[in-house]
Amino acid sequence: MKTPFEFINPGKLIDDDLELFLVKKTQADPIKKYSPSYEFEMRHTKTSECMGCIRLRIASARTLQYPGHIGYEVNEEYRGHRYAARSCYLLRSLALDHGLKALWLTVDPKNIPSRKTCEIIGAQYVETVRIPKNHEMYEHGARYRCRYRLDVKK
C-alpha cells in the first residue's frame, strides 16, 4: 500500500487585502489520475468575503501537462484587482516546500485575462497543446491549453 501524501501547513498566506484560506486538502486518486492538491479560498482580509478560489496540485509537470499545477477562478465582481496573480505569488513558498522548482499553468487560449495573469506573474509561454479525446478535460469541453512555465524562487 502506498503511503499517503504528506501535506504541509501553509501558514498565513496574506498580501494586503487578500488572504488565501485553506479549505480542502485532497489525496491523490490514481484511478481518476488526480494529484494531491490544496484548495484555498481567496478572501478579503477585512470582510472575510470569498473572492474566488485557487488550487495547487503537487505532481510532476508531465502528470499535470493539461490541468497544470495551479488552477484559479476569481468571482466576477472581484476581477481586475490581480487577485489571481497575487494568489499565485503567495503559493510559491508552499510549492518550493514540496520540492517544485517550476509551476505550470494551463489556460484556454481564448481566456485573455488568464493569459495576462500568467504574463503578470512572469510565467513564460511554452506551447499550446491539444487535449486528447480520452482526457477528462476534453469531456468537459476543453480542446486546447496554452502552457506557461513559472520558475519558483523564494
Side-chain angles (χ1 to χ4, degrees):
M1 179 184 256
K2 192 172 180 179
T3 306
F5 177 80
E6 287 198 39
F7 289 94
I8 297 170
N9 179 348
K12 288 274 189 189
L13 300 173
I14 299 175
D15 174 12
D16 192 33
D17 64 338
L18 168 68
E19 178 176 7
L20 297 186
F21 184 82
L22 182 62
V23 293
K24 189 176 182 182
K25 296 182 282 191
T26 306
Q27 285 289 342
D29 183 338
I31 294 169
K32 290 185 176 182
K33 298 182 181 173
Y34 288 174
S35 303
S37 64
Y38 295 83
E39 185 171 335
F40 298 86
E41 285 185 354
M42 298 174 193
R43 290 189 183 173
H44 195 279
T45 54
K46 291 192 176 43
T47 65
S48 294
E49 191 161 350
C50 179
M51 302 180 293
C53 65
I54 188 165
R55 289 162 298 288
L56 174 64
R57 300 173 193 96
I58 308 296
S60 70
R62 182 181 171 128
T63 301
L64 296 171
Q65 181 178 8
Y66 305 113
H69 286 103
I70 292 179
Y72 51 79
E73 293 176 39
V74 178
N75 298 342
E76 192 168 344
E77 63 270 26
Y78 295 103
R79 293 178 185 163
H81 299 279
R82 297 193 171 167
Y83 289 126
R86 292 163 55 198
S87 295
C88 289
Y89 278 128
L90 289 172
L91 291 178
R92 290 178 305 170
S93 61
L94 182 57
L96 273 172
D97 289 345
H98 279 292
L100 297 174
K101 304 278 190 266
L103 294 172
W104 287 85
L105 292 88
T106 67
V107 300
D108 187 304
K110 297 175 189 166
N111 188 337
I112 302 305
S114 278
R115 293 184 75 171
K116 285 184 180 177
T117 293
C118 290
E119 293 168 9
I120 288 166
I121 64 174
Q124 299 297 310
Y125 170 79
V126 174
E127 65 185 341
T128 299
V129 293
R130 183 181 206 114
I131 306 292
K133 290 182 180 179
N134 64 344
H135 196 278
E136 179 182 5
M137 291 173 66
Y138 189 95
E139 294 171 19
H140 291 109
R143 297 300 180 259
Y144 295 92
R145 280 292 179 265
C146 295
R147 298 183 73 233
Y148 290 82
R149 178 189 164 103
L150 175 66
D151 290 324
V152 183
K153 300 173 189 138
K154 286 247 183 201

